[in-house]
Amino acid sequence: MTRSKNANDVSVRIKSESSLLPSQQLSDEILAARVVQGDSAALEALYDRHASIVLGVLLKVIGDRALAEDALQETFWRVWKSASSYEPQRGSFTGWLFRIARNLAIDAHRRVNVRPQVLGNADDMDSLADRTPDPDKDVPEQAQADLRNRQVRSALAALPRVQRLVIEMAYFYGMTRQEIAEATGEALGTIHTRARLGLQKLREELDREDFEG
Amino acid sequence: MDKQIEELLPFYVLGALTDEEREQVETYLRAHPEARAQLDEMSKTVSALPYGTKPVEPARRTKNALMARIAVDERARAPKADQPFRRGVRGENIIRTFTLGIATLAIVWVMILNSQIGRLRSEISNLNNALIAQSNELQQINAKLPQTPLPETVTISLKGTDVRPQAQGQLIADPNSQSAVLVISGLAKLQPGKTYQVWLIDGGGPKSAGLLAVDANGQGVLIVTSELSIGSFQALGISVEPNGGSKQPTGDIVVLSDI
């Protein structure tokens, strides 16, 4: 019942918002609903908004630019083909999008077997300055993306390295807790503790940064 | 909360459990909905992780290839417009009678509000003209797209030859179809009087598949058409030819890939 009501709410919002605003000003969730209706302009708007962050994730995990670009295209192709399976009441669109990208990245990573890199290193930190701006992105959207990037990097940098490593091995490389324990030579209990404390600490740091996902 | 589930929960939101462990957590969550709050909080934290990676601007050709692939899919999804409209004779009579009644009322209405009707007719006429113009434009666009819906497409990578190693692209096609979308980048700007020509190659040699226009950035998109299905060809090539194209390749071959 609740789900049906939520779906109706979304439908009403689509009609009221999408008829008045250009794609760039619509929320991800509204754009996703328009993709379900076969609106390729909505898909393009979502691509322009999120492709660089998705490619960042793909490249970090896969380690090969050409393969990462292929996976990026496949990610948004899957958004196009299966947008109807996204349910706004179960979470944000970006959460759903990143899960698609992450799964593709992990599959590709297992094929090419690239060594994991840890986020928040100094060599990653200089990325914002040398990045070429995307002409398809509007300035406030770009500024918002840059702000989020700085906030999360700062929060991650505040984590003890061992906790950050466990989180990244699990999230970006899909390693199970047993695989992480084996790879790090630590006891399984230690890996559990690091994951739990790491996520708690990350939440605190994100709140301190006023991060809004 | 169950101690074991508490240990699994961080790895559940990180997406790093085995299938068996994931099922264990989901069973627990179904029985203990109060644990959802903790799960949602962790999920929110984890969803921030991608923002911590170094953003990378994708190559323009990735978006071009994606949108071309979507255009092909849209074409395949479009409903057929040539379904005949059928109705029975009895239905026609009812409609005629109804139309006559409406027409009589309309005449009375016209006598009373003649000036307003005239103005409305004028507006309708203008709208019809606009509609016809848009319809013509749509037909022109449709005529440039592949004529056969493509239910299943494949993407084939194309590479430049030693003459133009920077060239790369994709051919998006249903192998059983006679048309495909070619997206290419890294081609050089040609001198006046020259053009790029696309060739589909089989055992009988190269067959022209169209002339390719390239923009200032060396990128081009072409709807490739052939009398035979795309899957019957072994390779695709692009050569430099005099304006208007040639019957057989005569100039430098800048792209040549197996398909």
Side-chain angles (χ1 to χ4, degrees), chain A residues 50 57 61 71 94 111 116 147-148 192:
Chain A
H50 300 298
V57 172
V61 179
T94 47
R111 286 196 295 272
L147 173 66
R148 277 198 292 255
H192 291 157

Side-chain angles (χ1 to χ4, degrees), chain A residues 40 43-44 48 52 56 65 69 73 80-81 102 127 131-132 134 136 148-149 153 175 177-178 203, chain B residues 8 14-16 21 41 45 50-57 59-60 62-63 69-70 73-74 170:
Chain A
S40 57
L43 190 278
E44 188 174 6
D48 290 341
S52 62
R65 180 65 186 252
E69 294 265 0
Q73 188 193 140
W80 172 251
K81 295 298 279 184
R102 172 188 173 274
S127 61
R131 199 147 44 87
T132 309
D134 181 349
D136 285 339
R148 277 198 292 255
N149 183 260
R153 281 166 176 273
M175 294 173 71
R177 56 209 175 101
Q178 294 87 349
R203 180 73 261 160
Chain B
L8 293 180
L14 287 163
E21 290 168 339
E41 187 67 16
T45 305
Y51 293 108
T53 60
K54 179 177 169 181
V56 180
E57 291 304 333
R60 187 77 196 174
T62 301
K63 182 177 173 182
R69 199 173 171 189
I70 285 171
D73 188 60
E74 275 184 311
Q170 291 177 314

Side-chain angles (χ1 to χ4, degrees), chain B residues 147-254:
Chain B
Q147 292 305 302
T148 309
L150 306 179
E152 288 298 332
T153 58
V154 294
T155 303
I156 299 154
S157 294
L158 305 171
K159 287 180 181 167
T161 61
D162 291 343
V163 176
R164 191 68 186 172
Q166 307 93 312
Q168 56 182 327
Q170 291 177 314
L171 183 70
I172 302 149
D174 171 1
N176 298 317
S177 164
Q178 292 165 303
S179 58
V181 178
L182 169 69
V183 184
I184 199 90
S185 64
L187 291 178
K189 187 181 175 186
L190 292 176
Q191 293 174 346
K194 297 284 185 185
T195 185
Y196 286 110
Q197 188 164 5
V198 180
W199 305 93
L200 287 167
I201 303 160
D202 61 10
K207 294 178 176 57
S208 176
L211 301 180
L212 173 69
V214 172
D215 66 17
N217 297 319
Q219 297 173 340
V221 177
L222 176 69
I223 306 295
V224 174
T225 55
S226 161
E227 290 179 357
L228 301 174
S229 62
I230 299 297
S232 66
F233 291 95
Q234 281 92 53
L236 180 144
I238 300 175
S239 65
V240 179
E241 302 296 333
N243 266 352
S246 307
K247 289 186 177 176
Q248 288 292 310
T250 61
D252 287 340
I253 295 173
V254 292

Side-chain angles (χ1 to χ4, degrees), chain B residues 24-38:
Chain B
Q24 198 180 340
V25 172
E26 285 170 359
T27 302
Y28 181 88
L29 290 172
R30 278 193 292 274
H32 300 84
E34 71 279 3
R36 276 271 165 202
Q38 191 180 346

Side-chain angles (χ1 to χ4, degrees), chain A residues 123-164:
Chain A
D123 55 345
D124 282 343
M125 293 292 194
D126 61 358
S127 61
L128 293 175
D130 59 15
R131 199 147 44 87
T132 309
D134 181 349
D136 285 339
K137 278 189 177 173
D138 64 19
V139 173
E141 208 167 76
Q142 183 76 58
Q144 183 68 25
D146 289 349
L147 173 66
R148 277 198 292 255
N149 183 260
R150 285 195 198 95
Q151 289 172 323
V152 177
R153 281 166 176 273
S154 174
L156 281 165
L159 293 187
R161 185 181 168 82
V162 287
Q163 292 176 7
R164 195 166 74 223

